[in-house]
Amino acid sequence: TVRIAFLLAALNNLAICAADIGNAYLNAECAEQIYTVAGREFGPQLEGKVLIVAKALYGLKSSGAAWRKHLAKSIAEMGFQSSRGDPDLYFRAANKPDGTPIYEYILVYVDDILAISHDTAPIMDDFSKLYRLKPDSVGPPDRYLGADIGVQYTSSGV
């Protein structure tokens, strides 16, 4: 899916922007009720008391699914729909400034997102209103999922 998305971006002269959502799981609600006993780090008023975990936490079995469901809902509210071939690839119809019809894409891998469009700024603005994006992670990707990313121009195109 990632390779095809990069190919579509190159063939249609679309920009690619990557971002990493900070503390992603904490944006999702816990799928079930989980209880814990507060330790010293909660202070003397709460130490030893039973607490309900309200947010999805890293390490809980259900947190990944809760985060994915939460993110999918946010992306759908942005007007994107999930593809049938890969549910972590989202798309919506758009137009380039010259009126050429295109599709805009969002690829998701846990908390790493790629936006592909003629102008990725509005998509990233929407994400930054919903989530805290790690500042150093926003921009054209040099690496994605362990692979080096680059653009090479040839006499016949990209």
Side-chain angles (χ1 to χ4, degrees):
T1 301
V2 174
R3 290 181 190 162
I4 292 171
F6 280 114
L7 175 66
L8 289 171
L11 291 174
N12 293 293
N13 197 27
L14 300 175
I16 302 173
C17 186
D20 189 1
I21 299 172
N23 297 320
Y25 283 16
L26 295 177
N27 291 289
E29 298 295 322
C30 241
E32 66 272 336
Q33 282 202 338
I34 297 174
Y35 299 90
T36 188
V37 176
R40 284 180 290 177
E41 61 274 7
F42 286 89
Q45 292 87 3
L46 293 177
E47 185 178 359
K49 295 194 177 180
V50 176
L51 306 175
I52 297 175
V53 177
K55 296 290 185 174
L57 300 175
Y58 290 91
L60 297 178
K61 288 182 181 180
S62 62
S63 293
W67 162 243
R68 188 178 182 287
K69 181 179 177 183
H70 175 82
L71 182 62
K73 182 179 177 207
S74 297
I75 294 173
E77 289 170 355
M78 293 167 58
F80 287 85
Q81 62 184 29
S82 180
S83 71
R84 284 190 248 173
D86 184 343
D88 292 324
L89 170 66
Y90 299 85
F91 65 96
R92 71 178 177 194
N95 291 308
K96 286 185 173 182
D98 66 3
T100 305
I102 60 163
Y103 282 100
E104 296 176 312
Y105 302 95
I106 295 174
L107 281 85
V108 175
Y109 185 77
V110 187
D111 59 356
D112 294 323
I113 55 174
L114 281 181
I116 300 173
S117 177
H118 69 283
D119 181 11
T120 59
I123 297 171
M124 287 299 159
D125 288 344
D126 286 345
F127 274 112
S128 67
K129 290 174 188 168
L130 298 170
Y131 306 107
R132 185 187 67 78
L133 303 179
K134 294 180 183 176
D136 295 342
S137 73
V138 180
D142 296 326
R143 290 183 61 79
Y144 188 71
L145 300 180
D148 292 329
I149 307 298
V151 177
Q152 293 183 350
Y153 294 94
T154 65
S155 59
S156 62
V158 177

